[in-house]
Amino acid sequence: MILPAALILSLAACSSVRETQPDHTATEQLLFSTAADRAAAKLSLTVPDGAKVFVDGNATDGSMQAKYLLSAIRDQVLRRGGRLVDDKGQADMAVEPRIGAMSVDRNTTLYGIPDYGIPIPLAGEVKTPELALYKRDIQQGVIKLAVTSYDPKTGALIQAADPVYGFAHTTERALLFFIYWTRNDLAPDAAADGWVNRV
């Protein structure tokens, strides 16, 4: 009787984590921003030293992720000797980014019993915990980015940079119900790999 009772108690001792209030979890936001930094750093964008540069964001969707990517591009312009201006008419060069992909892919493999809801009359639904003999949950941030620079006064092409890609990932594994570990390339310190979703 001791073993079944212990099993029941261990299964009942589950926890719930509220990951986010915004549209995206902190992990998803880090996947976006890390991939954005890596894509922007790969741009083969030539900026004449001291040139006044206008970065045009009209082709983006205005989301938080797109705004961060535009800021990463502006950072690269400054690092390459350009000077940012807000007025396109005053610029020596306009840079127009185009985003071919900006999302998070997810792939989950589970050997065990997934969580599911049990309808209870007059009480709604009770959620059962997931029981994983083995689980692997991979999330990968993917960004495809290209930019075209042109003379804002004449509209003539200055440079068309080839598309670049930025990736970031986090992988969480579970073994025998209670053993969890995480690997990612988001943390600045490799020794802190397990910080994501682990407090």
Side-chain angles (χ1 to χ4, degrees), residues 135-156:
K135 179 181 178 182
R136 184 185 65 186
D137 186 6
I138 301 173
Q139 294 185 78
Q140 179 170 253
V142 180
I143 288 181
K144 177 184 178 182
L145 171 66
V147 297
T148 299
S149 60
Y150 61 94
D151 187 323
K153 299 176 180 64
T154 65

Side-chain angles (χ1 to χ4, degrees), residues 4 10 26 67 84 112-113 124 154 159 168 188 192-193 195 197:
S10 66
K67 289 177 180 178
L84 295 174
I113 302 173
T154 65
Q159 181 187 8
D193 261 354
W195 73 270
N197 291 332

Side-chain angles (χ1 to χ4, degrees), residues 28-38 68 143:
E28 288 173 336
Q29 290 173 356
L30 284 167
L31 288 167
F32 279 121
S33 60
T34 303
D37 288 334
R38 290 171 180 168
Y68 186 93
I143 288 181

Side-chain angles (χ1 to χ4, degrees), residues 59-141:
T60 63
D61 61 10
S63 65
M64 181 190 76
Q65 292 77 25
K67 289 177 180 178
Y68 186 93
L69 182 55
L70 287 173
S71 183
I73 295 168
R74 292 187 179 102
D75 175 74
Q76 290 299 317
V77 168
L78 291 170
R79 289 171 183 264
R80 298 173 194 204
R83 293 185 294 160
L84 295 174
V85 294
D86 293 327
D87 185 352
K88 187 176 179 179
Q90 300 300 314
D92 302 314
M93 183 172 81
V95 175
E96 182 174 306
R98 57 188 186 276
I99 303 170
M102 185 172 58
S103 192
V104 174
D105 286 341
R106 189 166 196 167
N107 187 298
T108 302
T109 301
L110 172 67
Y111 296 98
I113 302 173
D115 58 353
Y116 60 92
I118 300 175
I120 305 296
L122 305 178
E125 187 176 78
V126 175
K127 199 83 168 178
T128 64
E130 177 183 270
L131 300 175
L133 290 172
Y134 174 76
K135 179 181 178 182
R136 184 185 65 186
D137 186 6
I138 301 173
Q139 294 185 78
Q140 179 170 253

